[in-house]
């Protein structure tokens, strides 16, 4: 019975992430549509639960994202999402070991930057290796800065809400 409840909670968590991604991407207005749902989920899960299971959750979430919202090159979101979750988990496990608000902010920034770096590197490799005429991936400082600013505000607000439930100071 415990296994069925655990699987049910995992499916519910993934569906809520997908619904949040759809809500943020298609319903919210311009500045708020840059919220990076995956990075917020990674940061909050690592700070609240401290389990490496988030890497698998983000792997499945990114795979479902690739199916529902196709990108230019298949696998860019999958690789970048999974590796950014792994990067954030390792950084929290070995370097940022406390549960402070500053750790949450820094972990959120690291997660978004690592996501964008892995995404860009994957697209560069595909551009170099591919024999088809694909376009060189573009890097937008505006999009990156908006993702960081809006996502960090959301992380701070959510950490303040969960602060009363957990021992995050």
């Amino acid at each position: 019975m415990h296994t069925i409840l655990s699987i049910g909670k995992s499916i519910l968590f993934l569906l809520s992430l997908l619904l949040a991604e759809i809500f943020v991407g298609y319903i919210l207005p311009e500045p708020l549509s840059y919220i990076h749902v995956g990075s917020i989920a990674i940061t909050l899960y690592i700070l609240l639960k401290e389990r490496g299971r988030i890497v698998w959750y983000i792997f499945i979430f990114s795979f479902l994202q690739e199916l529902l919202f196709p990108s230019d090159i298949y696998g860019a979101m999958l690789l970048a999402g999974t590796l950014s979750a792994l990067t954030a988990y390792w950084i929290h496990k070995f370097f940022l070991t406390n549960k402070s608000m500053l750790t949450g902010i820094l972990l959120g920034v690291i997660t978004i930057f690592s996501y964008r770096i892995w995404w860009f590197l994957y697209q560069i490799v595909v551009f170099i290796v591919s024999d088809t005429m694909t376009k060189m991936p573009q890097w937008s400082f505006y999009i990156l800065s908006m993702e960081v600013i809006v996502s960090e505000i959301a992380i701070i607000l959510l950490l303040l809400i969960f602060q009363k439930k957990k021992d995050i100071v």
Side-chain angles (χ1 to χ4, degrees):
M1 188 65 160
H2 177 68
T3 306
I4 294 172
L5 288 175
S6 177
I7 291 172
K9 285 194 291 188
S10 299
I11 291 172
L12 188 64
F13 178 68
L14 288 169
L15 287 177
S16 66
L17 284 180
L18 279 174
L19 287 176
E21 183 70 34
I22 291 170
F23 178 76
V24 165
Y26 293 109
I27 296 176
L28 290 180
E30 165 85 24
L32 296 177
S33 65
Y34 289 111
I35 292 176
H36 203 265
V37 175
S39 295
I40 292 173
I42 292 168
T43 304
L44 291 178
Y45 194 88
I46 287 174
L47 285 177
L48 297 175
K49 298 274 189 175
E50 293 188 4
R51 293 187 184 149
R53 188 179 301 172
I54 188 63
V55 178
W56 288 106
Y57 286 150
I58 294 299
F59 174 78
I60 295 169
F61 171 67
S62 299
F63 178 72
L64 293 173
Q65 267 187 317
E66 289 280 356
L67 293 177
L68 295 174
F69 319 111
S71 59
D72 293 337
I73 301 171
Y74 184 78
M77 288 188 281
L78 181 65
L79 182 86
T82 305
L83 289 178
S84 69
L86 189 61
T87 303
Y89 178 71
W90 281 346
I91 286 176
H92 182 264
K93 186 172 175 100
F94 296 117
F95 298 110
L96 305 173
T97 57
N98 62 0
K99 293 181 174 184
S100 68
M101 181 70 74
L102 184 60
T103 300
I105 293 169
L106 189 59
L107 196 61
V109 170
I110 289 170
T111 305
I112 292 173
F113 273 109
S114 67
Y115 179 88
R116 286 295 165 195
I117 288 170
W118 287 116
W119 176 84
F120 189 72
L121 288 176
Y122 178 76
Q123 294 214 349
I124 291 290
V125 168
V126 169
F127 177 76
I128 291 171
V129 173
S130 176
D131 58 347
T132 61
M133 292 299 291
T134 59
K135 61 180 181 174
M136 185 70 172
Q138 297 177 0
W139 187 267
S140 174
F141 183 73
Y142 173 75
I143 293 175
L144 179 66
S145 61
M146 287 305 292
E147 275 184 353
V148 169
I149 291 168
V150 178
S151 296
E152 287 303 311
I153 291 171
I155 287 172
I156 290 169
L157 291 175
L158 289 171
L159 283 176
L160 287 174
I161 291 170
F162 290 123
Q163 182 178 9
K164 298 189 189 311
K165 294 182 180 181
K166 294 286 183 179
D167 55 347
I168 298 174
V169 180

